[in-house]
Amino acid sequence: MLDVKLDAEQIKRFTLLNVNNRLGHDVRDKVMPVWTEMGEATGMCEKLLTSTTSGVRSSEKEERQEKFGRNYVEPPPLTPFWRFCLDALEDPTLQFLIVAAIVSLLVGSIFEAKCLGYLDGIAILVAVWVVVFVGAAQEAGKQVQFRSLTDSASDELVNVVRDGVQTRISNRDVVVGDCVVLSTGDILCADGIIFERNTLKIFEGSLTGESHAIIKGNYEFKEKGHFPVPTDLDLQQMNTPGATPEERAAKYEPTPERTPIVFKGTEVQDGEGRMIVIGVGTNTYENTLLGDKDDDDDDESSGRSIMQRKLDDMTILITKVGAVFGIGIIIILFIRFGILFSEKACCKEEWDHTVHHMQWIKFFIIGITIFVVAVPEGLPLAVTIALAFSVTKMMSDMNMVKTSSACETMGSATTICSDKTGTLTTSMMTVMRTWIAGEQMEPKEVAGKVSEKLREKMMAAMTINTSDKTDIVAKTMKKMVDGKDVEEVVRLEGKVMEAYSGNATECAMIKLVNVLGEFKGEAGDADMPYKRFRKEFPETQPGRSGISFSSKRKRMSTLVPMPEGSEAPWMLFTKGASEMVMTLCTKYMNADGQVVDIDDTLRKNVEDSITAFADLGLRTISIAYKALQESPANSDGALPDEVEADLILIAVVGIEDPLREEVPGAIRVCRQAGITVRMVTGDNLATAKAISRKAGILSEDGERTGSEIAMTGEQFRSRVLTAQDSEHPEKCINQDEFDQIWPKLRVLARSTPTDKLVLVTGIQKSRIQVGGFNRQVVAVTGDGTNDAPALKRADVGFAMGKAGTQVAKNAADIIVLDDNFASIVQAVKWGRCVYDNICKFLQFQLTVNLTACAIAVLGASVLTKSPLTVIQLLWVNMIMDSFASLALATEDPRPDVLKRRPYPRNQPLLSAMMLRSLVCHSMWQIFILFFLIFAVGDVCESSAPGSHHCTVARHDALGDLKSGRPTSFDQDVFVEEDFCVPFFNPKDNSTFALSEDGTMLPLRSEEYCREGAEQDGMPTQHYTLVFTAFVMLQLFNQINARKIHGEANVFSGILDNKLFLSIMAMEFFMQVLMVNTPGFNTAMGCTPLTFSQWVGCFFIGLTELPLNLVIRRVPLRWFPGESAEQALLETDEDRETGGGFGKKRRSDNDGVPLLVMGSKAI
């Protein structure tokens, strides 16, 4: 039985303690006591029954796996297609439509089979099927696409020591206690400790955000006096309440020189050594970061996106309104029926079940029809189309969307919490500035300003005095091909992407050598300039010697023998911290390559340049050399430190992980769009501030006024967390204190992986009003494993596709394929476009539905039957609206879409402008249609069979069309005489005639009432004209619906959307087909129209366009809801002076004034 003294939870807590406390003074106070209690490295090995010499016994493998878990996390299986379909059917709108379709099918099949009433239900079910199928297919496609992008956990061989023998095993078989042998380039397969003598440098950038490699070994702290102490302002960030600046300065220690803990997923940048495994599989820190998102927000527990929840609420509201109107019209019809029955109206003298039962049934059918018509059936399809269109377009903008709802959620994003390394920066240390020959200059300027001799000397010094393991190579990415891992070269815009191998600082040096050598080729080419020096001066060169870098010396030197004809037989090259190397230099090389004494003026020039570089956040390194006539090496080949004297200064370089070129511009756009960018990084505060200033995250005015601040993770945690070192710090937030900090916070430096999670969680939970929003929508960007928890927690998570780790990609909603921060801004643009496009369709369809419901309700109330038949309403609601959804949901973003504030989460979908348009257009359409219904249509005394005109008219209306209204209505309203054949009454001689044999013959036949009811249901040209005018009004209003912010020019950009124009033309010709083609018009309940009638309907529809200009003059204050136009922002100057509202500004794309109303929350 395996008797280990440590369990997985104890080890996890110790690992977490190391992650959360990285500065030296915190390690001493919080980590070292626990480390000592555990017996340090030796004690841990004893408790785990292992050692670096013998490892574990092979026979213990199963027991250790049972106790600590396997070193493999099974990836989730691909979700089957049917599961996506079921998920889609969880949409409340679709569920309601299915119920409505079933009811419509039953009623239509039983009572309206002859007039194809069941087609309504079938069409709704078809629409539901299309929405479900398209949505499921889209999700399934994205799943496969993402799985092909991310390489699954590969089964690779690693070197371990077991039973005292080194052997190779699968990384999945690694267990806690295993001794893993590491070397340069290895990716760690588990968490572990390294404590014996080694040369390992581990790059933990993906986990901590640090941009340089960490030396590993037993805890080793930097000596007092051998490190710079931060300024008073930075010292205030320390968690030492009540301490004076002097006490803080005395206590402060930077990150230790060495630490023993290493993490799965990090990379061995240099060296060799052995690691004892302490965490595998689900118990690694990497996997801890991927714990399930614990979303305890009540309003988000359903997992629905912002717009989905708004649409759900609107669907419920419309359903209730539709039900009220449907039930109301049924009640009205029954009351009217009762009144007519009591008044003994025509065909209501006595109960006739053959007639009156069917009338009652039709009352219910009318109510159900109004109920169904009220619901925007095309809305789910519009949402699906809008998202599918935008997701496709976003792919061309280098955004691969994993979660469709994330696309529209970005339209409401108010905050972006971004990682620095690899997201805002390139994650490649680069020389940004140089001092050479007494002058500061850009690296690309050096070759043209100095002599060939100085340039060659500088290139030699920077190449020879670096390790051969440092290299610039082509970036590759693993892909699964036929079940095997294949390395594929990564290209961006056809060019091979660079990658660093080895020490990042030295890579920056040899990259500068390539610049000085004016190299134009691709990464990894054999003719890169630095490789010429490597070939001439290999590390194995006889006589070569060196002095290694140490934190105390802060420099390194390399001695090499020179070829014949050189300046001297031997050359010593030195590089290191500027302040250290400068003290050793007495001469420098001028632009002509001549060696000149350093005087006080030049020394001040250099020192001023070093200070200037430091102020820019650059790490300064001096490069020097010394010509020697003979080798100063000792007999054992070692160099004495004394040789590093009387050096000749070649250059001073300023190095940093540079901002991506597009970042400052992208952040300016974010500011303009009302989005605050916050940077979270593992770098020190000074570096973080310098980068954020360059990026535009911290502004000069904001820092001066205190409205924008930077702080360290240590101070942040001490102020906002109620419990330190918790495994779930996001559950320990003091929200009141947090709300005092986050509105001003722009930079969080020296942060732990969970600090970003705490920041995101706290901002999401905050309900204070900031920037006009009382609930922030938070997007998070990142590329490292450390970003995974925040990526999962965020409303939208962005992972970098090329530099991002697989863990980050798994946690994200959107993958930025080109690692370009500007692509995230494109996602914001498309998110707002999706929101706008859905609102455009919503405005259009609700106008259609309101008009259709009004015609159906008022028509049924007044005429006892709707002027528009069920199949006609179906045609407009299902077919026309489906095409409209395709036309309106595929509009491209307006250029000014990023000049508006984000849409608030609680803002209704229908803004005041949309309501104004919806109501006014509906009122106009209702007026026009009622005019056509009641002012047109002659009441005939007689007419030729099949004719649409009266031979003799009893009521002469506008035009010469025969009325399509019910006969009973026309007789009651337009004709004074009662033409109803009287009901038989034996006591009333006027109700019968006498036959020759004296038998009373009733004047009204038994079929009179039934035939009259059937006659009223026949198609008429009058009602066909009404139907076509209704369609034409919607067709032209579709153009108006393209603009939802009150723009006057509704045609702007219409020629750019060929799909919209094609659909408009198709809708018109399909209407012609439905009305004038035999067979189709019979099913539609129509009769053919003449050319003049078509022209008349066309011009009736055309009135919608000038009407839109008139509607813009209607005061917005008459309508509830916040105008979407209130979200428009002016320039940064307007925001600062408060001049952005209540002004007119002109749109960038159409030159029309956009009225910006005063901000008013409703």
Side-chain angles (χ1 to χ4, degrees):
M1 183 69 180
L2 192 66
D3 185 26
V4 294
K5 306 297 184 183
L6 289 175
D7 59 38
E9 285 303 314
Q10 288 177 290
I11 296 172
K12 282 176 68 175
R13 283 195 295 271
F14 176 69
T15 303
L16 187 66
L17 200 61
N18 277 268
V19 172
N20 288 338
N21 298 280
R22 289 161 51 202
L23 289 175
H25 52 270
D26 285 329
V27 174
R28 284 190 190 275
D29 293 345
K30 301 175 182 178
V31 179
M32 292 308 293
V34 179
W35 179 243
T36 303
E37 184 182 335
M38 296 175 74
E40 300 186 355
T42 306
M44 284 191 74
C45 288
E46 290 176 353
K47 291 176 181 179
L48 292 174
L49 304 180
T50 185
S51 71
T52 55
T53 54
S54 60
V56 300
R57 292 194 293 269
S58 299
S59 59
E60 298 172 351
K61 173 186 166 184
E62 285 75 16
E63 283 188 84
R64 289 180 181 269
Q65 286 181 336
E66 184 177 346
K67 186 172 183 63
F68 296 101
R70 284 195 64 204
N71 194 33
Y72 179 64
V73 179
E74 192 76 36
L78 290 174
T79 304
F81 185 80
W82 63 265
R83 183 71 253 180
F84 286 124
C85 292
L86 286 181
D87 290 344
L89 287 171
E90 291 179 2
D91 188 327
T93 303
L94 292 181
Q95 293 171 353
F96 166 73
L97 288 177
I98 291 171
V99 173
I102 293 172
V103 172
S104 183
L105 270 175
L106 292 174
V107 173
S109 301
I110 297 171
F111 303 112
E112 294 192 314
K114 289 185 178 179
C115 59
L116 307 178
Y118 54 83
L119 288 180
D120 195 358
I122 292 175
I124 295 176
L125 287 178
V126 169
V128 170
W129 179 84
V130 169
V131 170
V132 170
F133 183 83
V134 171
Q138 186 182 5
E139 293 299 323
K142 287 188 298 184
Q143 176 183 237
V144 173
Q145 195 175 39
F146 175 69
R147 197 53 81 85
S148 66
L149 177 71
T150 57
D151 36 293
S152 59
S154 55
D155 185 6
E156 297 179 349
L157 296 178
V158 294
N159 291 313
V160 300
V161 176
R162 281 190 179 175
D163 302 315
V165 178
Q166 185 169 321
T167 183
R168 289 172 65 80
I169 63 171
S170 167
N171 57 9
R172 298 181 183 180
D173 290 332
V174 169
V175 296
V176 169
D178 260 327
C179 175
V180 180
V181 181
L182 300 173
S183 59
T184 302
D186 286 347
I187 304 295
L188 273 63
C189 63
D191 291 351
I193 55 172
I194 296 172
F195 54 92
E196 290 190 342
R197 185 177 180 81
N198 67 88
T199 58
L200 288 170
K201 291 182 181 179
I202 309 293
F203 181 70
E204 298 178 346
S206 65
L207 194 71
T208 64
E210 293 280 6
S211 53
H212 60 275
I214 309 297
I215 301 173
K216 291 299 173 179
N218 261 323
Y219 289 106
E220 183 178 316
F221 297 88
K222 294 177 181 176
E223 292 184 27
K224 291 281 186 178
H226 288 83
F227 54 80
V229 177
T231 62
D232 288 348
L233 180 63
D234 293 343
L235 282 172
Q236 291 173 17
Q237 307 285 330
M238 288 175 58
N239 183 20
T240 52
T244 64
E246 292 76 18
E247 290 171 335
R248 291 193 184 101
K251 180 179 177 62
Y252 173 83
E253 289 186 65
T255 53
E257 186 74 24
R258 298 175 187 268
T259 58
I261 299 289
V262 290
F263 304 97
K264 178 185 177 183
T266 55
E267 179 183 2
V268 179
Q269 194 174 84
D270 193 15
E272 296 179 348
R274 295 188 176 191
M275 168 186 81
I276 295 297
V277 175
I278 62 172
V280 296
T282 57
N283 291 316
T284 60
Y285 183 66
E286 177 186 78
N287 199 266
T288 301
L289 290 174
L290 289 176
D292 291 336
K293 171 181 172 179
D294 182 17
D295 193 347
D296 52 6
D297 285 357
D298 294 338
D299 64 332
E300 299 172 13
S301 58
S302 64
R304 308 279 287 167
S305 71
I306 299 168
M307 173 161 281
Q308 285 170 333
R309 289 194 292 274
K310 290 182 179 182
L311 291 174
D312 291 346
D313 293 341
M314 177 166 288
T315 300
I316 292 170
L317 177 62
I318 293 173
T319 300
K320 291 178 180 178
V321 172
V324 169
F325 274 96
I327 294 171
I329 195 61
I330 292 173
I331 294 172
I332 290 171
L333 289 173
F334 270 105
I335 292 174
R336 179 170 178 166
F337 181 88
I339 293 172
L340 292 174
F341 214 92
S342 65
E343 293 177 349
K344 303 296 183 182
C346 185
C347 290
K348 299 289 190 301
E349 296 85 355
E350 69 174 20
W351 180 264
D352 183 352
H353 68 274
T354 61
V355 175
H356 299 137
H357 272 155
M358 185 53 66
Q359 286 183 346
W360 280 21
I361 291 171
K362 286 187 176 180
F363 293 166
F364 285 104
I365 292 173
I366 290 172
I368 292 171
T369 301
I370 291 170
F371 178 54
V372 172
V373 166
V375 179
E377 302 96 329
L379 190 55
L381 183 60
V383 173
T384 301
I385 291 173
L387 289 175
F389 173 74
S390 296
V391 165
T392 303
K393 287 282 191 175
M394 286 175 70
M395 180 63 82
S396 63
D397 279 342
M398 294 295 155
N399 285 291
M400 195 189 87
V401 181
K402 287 173 55 187
T403 308
S404 294
S405 60
C407 179
E408 54 93 354
T409 302
M410 276 307 294
S412 300
T414 58
T415 289
I416 298 177
C417 295
S418 177
D419 181 34
K420 177 187 78 74
T421 307
T423 306
L424 297 175
T425 65
T426 62
S427 193
M428 299 176 73
M429 297 296 286
T430 304
V431 175
M432 303 302 295
R433 296 283 294 172
T434 64
W435 177 95
I436 186 168
E439 183 181 352
Q440 292 184 35
M441 60 185 78
E442 299 285 340
K444 60 185 178 183
E445 298 173 335
V446 175
K449 288 188 175 183
V450 302
S451 65
E452 178 70 18
K453 180 180 179 181
L454 175 55
R455 186 157 60 99
E456 281 290 312
K457 186 72 72 176
M458 187 173 178
M459 292 167 67
M462 288 191 294
T463 305
I464 295 171
N465 195 24
T466 59
S467 168
D468 279 1
K469 294 177 181 177
T470 300
D471 210 353
I472 296 175
V473 298
K475 184 176 179 61
T476 59
M477 180 182 290
K478 282 185 179 180
K479 293 188 72 174
M480 293 291 289
V481 178
D482 297 329
K484 297 180 179 179
D485 281 336
V486 176
E487 293 279 352
E488 185 178 90
V489 174
V490 179
R491 294 179 178 271
L492 182 60
E493 297 179 354
K495 187 175 181 180
V496 174
M497 289 189 67
E498 286 183 346
Y500 284 174
S501 175
N503 183 280
T505 300
E506 293 190 344
C507 284
M509 295 285 197
I510 60 175
K511 185 175 182 178
L512 178 59
V513 172
N514 282 350
V515 173
L516 296 176
E518 300 178 308
F519 176 66
K520 303 297 183 185
E522 294 187 324
D525 286 356
D527 60 344
M528 287 192 291
Y530 74 87
K531 291 188 176 181
R532 169 167 60 89
F533 292 97
R534 291 265 175 89
K535 187 175 182 180
E536 189 174 354
F537 300 95
E539 283 191 344
T540 56
Q541 182 181 15
R544 178 166 175 150
S545 184
I547 307 175
S548 301
F549 179 89
S550 73
S551 60
K552 187 179 295 186
R553 288 168 29 82
K554 292 188 177 179
R555 62 185 183 274
M556 66 176 289
S557 297
T558 300
L559 175 73
V560 292
M562 301 298 292
E564 291 186 13
S566 299
E567 178 183 345
W570 296 85
M571 201 74 71
L572 178 76
F573 295 105
T574 301
K575 72 169 184 285
S578 298
E579 68 277 7
M580 301 296 289
V581 175
M582 271 301 298
T583 60
L584 304 175
C585 294
T586 57
K587 295 181 174 62
Y588 80 102
M589 288 187 77
N590 65 17
D592 296 327
Q594 298 174 337
V595 177
V596 183
D597 288 337
I598 295 177
D599 56 22
D600 292 341
T601 302
L602 188 99
R603 191 171 294 278
K604 186 175 187 308
N605 181 318
V606 176
E607 290 172 351
D608 289 346
S609 296
I610 292 172
T611 302
F613 291 176
D615 289 342
L616 292 173
L618 305 181
R619 178 186 173 196
T620 56
I621 296 176
S622 292
I623 302 161
Y625 82 101
K626 183 178 183 179
L628 298 167
Q629 296 302 314
E630 59 182 22
S631 172
N634 298 326
S635 56
D636 60 357
L639 285 176
D641 288 354
E642 292 76 21
V643 73
E644 296 173 326
D646 297 323
L647 301 178
I648 301 168
L649 181 65
I650 301 174
V652 178
V653 296
I655 297 177
E656 73 171 354
D657 180 9
L659 278 177
R660 296 178 181 275
E661 292 181 8
E662 68 280 353
V663 165
I667 290 177
R668 278 196 301 273
V669 172
C670 286
R671 279 184 178 265
Q672 190 177 35
I675 300 171
T676 301
V677 180
R678 294 177 166 85
M679 186 176 81
V680 185
T681 177
D683 278 339
N684 64 63
L685 190 60
T687 302
K689 282 183 176 180
I691 288 288
S692 64
R693 290 181 188 120
K694 293 175 186 176
I697 294 172
L698 268 179
S699 67
E700 184 178 338
D701 289 343
E703 284 192 275
R704 186 179 64 253
T705 61
S707 61
E708 298 177 359
I709 64 171
M711 65 169 49
T712 63
E714 182 182 18
Q715 187 192 29
F716 177 72
R717 291 190 299 275
S718 68
R719 290 186 60 182
V720 306
L721 295 182
T722 58
Q724 303 294 320
D725 302 319
S726 168
E727 189 172 344
H728 295 286
E730 72 278 11
K731 298 180 181 179
C732 306
I733 298 174
N734 180 341
Q735 195 63 49
D736 291 338
E737 182 66 25
F738 187 92
D739 288 343
Q740 298 296 316
I741 296 173
W742 78 262
K744 298 182 289 185
L745 184 63
R746 294 296 182 272
V747 177
L748 190 59
R750 281 294 179 202
S751 62
T752 67
T754 53
D755 284 343
K756 187 186 285 189
L757 175 62
V758 171
L759 179 63
V760 172
T761 304
I763 294 177
Q764 286 179 326
K765 290 184 176 181
S766 178
R767 293 298 179 265
I768 62 173
Q769 190 169 74
V770 176
F773 307 101
N774 56 15
R775 165 59 166 94
Q776 302 290 312
V777 177
V778 185
V780 167
T781 73
D783 66 340
T785 301
N786 60 319
D787 297 315
L791 288 170
K792 291 185 71 177
R793 172 75 204 196
D795 295 295
V796 183
F798 289 87
M800 301 297 111
K802 298 186 182 301
T805 63
Q806 182 180 334
V807 175
K809 294 174 187 175
N810 288 339
D813 300 299
I814 298 175
I815 297 174
V816 183
L817 298 176
D818 61 352
D819 290 10
N820 190 331
F821 189 84
S823 297
I824 297 168
V825 179
Q826 294 297 310
V828 176
K829 178 186 74 174
W830 281 109
R832 295 186 179 185
C833 178
V834 167
Y835 196 103
D836 280 355
N837 286 351
I838 292 174
C839 286
K840 290 172 187 177
F841 176 76
L842 189 63
Q843 174 181 283
F844 170 75
Q845 186 170 47
L846 290 183
T847 303
V848 175
N849 289 9
L850 181 58
T851 303
C853 282
I855 296 298
V857 170
L858 295 176
S861 301
V862 177
L863 302 173
T864 69
K865 62 171 289 187
S866 172
L868 301 176
T869 66
V870 172
I871 197 71
Q872 288 170 355
L873 290 172
L874 165 68
W875 169 252
V876 174
N877 262 24
M878 295 305 301
I879 310 303
M880 297 286 283
D881 287 357
S882 297
F883 287 123
S885 68
L886 188 61
L888 293 172
T890 54
E891 287 270 320
D892 284 335
R894 288 167 49 100
D896 67 350
V897 74
L898 292 177
K899 296 180 181 178
R900 300 200 305 262
R901 288 190 299 169
Y903 288 109
R905 297 176 67 97
N906 56 354
Q907 176 179 302
L909 279 173
L910 294 178
S911 67
M913 285 192 176
M914 292 171 65
L915 280 172
R916 179 179 67 181
S917 174
L918 189 159
V919 172
C920 292
H921 280 291
S922 293
M923 289 174 63
W924 172 250
Q925 293 175 11
I926 292 169
F927 170 77
I928 289 291
L929 295 175
F930 269 47
F931 181 83
L932 292 176
I933 292 168
F934 294 107
V936 175
D938 297 341
V939 180
C940 298
E941 180 178 342
S942 63
S943 63
S947 173
H948 298 294
H949 309 281
C950 294
T951 305
V952 178
R954 293 185 179 276
H955 170 72
D956 192 10
L958 290 176
D960 59 354
L961 280 178
K962 184 170 67 174
S963 171
R965 297 179 294 268
T967 304
S968 59
F969 175 82
D970 282 345
Q971 290 176 352
D972 291 341
V973 177
F974 296 111
V975 182
E976 295 181 0
E977 302 175 49
D978 185 4
F979 292 97
C980 180
V981 177
F983 178 71
F984 174 68
N985 185 352
K987 296 179 181 180
D988 186 353
N989 294 336
S990 64
T991 64
F992 60 87
L994 293 174
S995 64
E996 294 178 358
D997 59 1
T999 305
M1000 289 183 290
L1001 299 176
L1003 296 180
R1004 180 187 293 183
S1005 68
E1006 293 182 0
E1007 303 297 323
Y1008 176 80
C1009 291
R1010 186 171 57 82
E1011 289 174 353
E1014 290 178 356
Q1015 185 66 31
D1016 283 341
M1018 296 296 291
T1020 65
Q1021 204 169 58
H1022 177 204
Y1023 273 10
T1024 302
L1025 186 75
V1026 173
F1027 170 54
T1028 303
F1030 177 50
V1031 171
M1032 291 297 107
L1033 286 165
Q1034 309 316 322
L1035 196 63
F1036 283 96
N1037 191 41
Q1038 194 169 297
I1039 298 174
N1040 293 328
R1042 294 182 62 248
K1043 307 296 180 182
I1044 59 173
H1045 298 303
E1047 300 90 332
N1049 184 5
V1050 295
F1051 291 100
S1052 99
I1054 196 170
L1055 296 179
D1056 297 330
N1057 192 344
K1058 301 297 190 293
L1059 181 61
F1060 183 89
L1061 297 174
S1062 301
I1063 289 174
M1064 284 279 293
M1066 183 175 63
E1067 287 174 328
F1068 178 79
F1069 286 112
M1070 287 183 71
Q1071 179 65 17
V1072 174
L1073 181 73
M1074 291 297 110
V1075 170
N1076 277 35
T1077 304
F1080 286 114
N1081 56 15
T1082 302
M1084 292 294 297
C1086 299
T1087 59
L1089 296 180
T1090 64
F1091 178 76
S1092 61
Q1093 289 168 343
W1094 274 108
V1095 171
C1097 290
F1098 183 86
F1099 279 101
I1100 286 173
L1102 199 62
T1103 61
E1104 282 285 352
L1105 298 179
L1107 175 70
N1108 196 60
L1109 295 174
V1110 176
I1111 290 174
R1112 293 181 67 250
R1113 301 299 176 186
V1114 177
L1116 274 177
R1117 65 178 179 273
W1118 293 357
F1119 301 89
E1122 180 180 357
S1123 170
E1125 207 60 31
Q1126 291 172 16
L1128 280 172
L1129 283 178
E1130 294 294 318
T1131 62
D1132 289 339
E1133 181 181 353
D1134 289 326
R1135 285 200 295 277
E1136 291 167 4
T1137 60
F1141 299 120
K1143 292 185 176 183
K1144 284 187 178 180
R1145 68 184 290 275
R1146 303 189 71 81
S1147 170
D1148 293 337
N1149 68 321
D1150 55 21
V1152 299
L1154 300 178
L1155 186 62
V1156 186
M1157 305 303 296
S1159 180
K1160 179 177 66 174
I1162 297 180

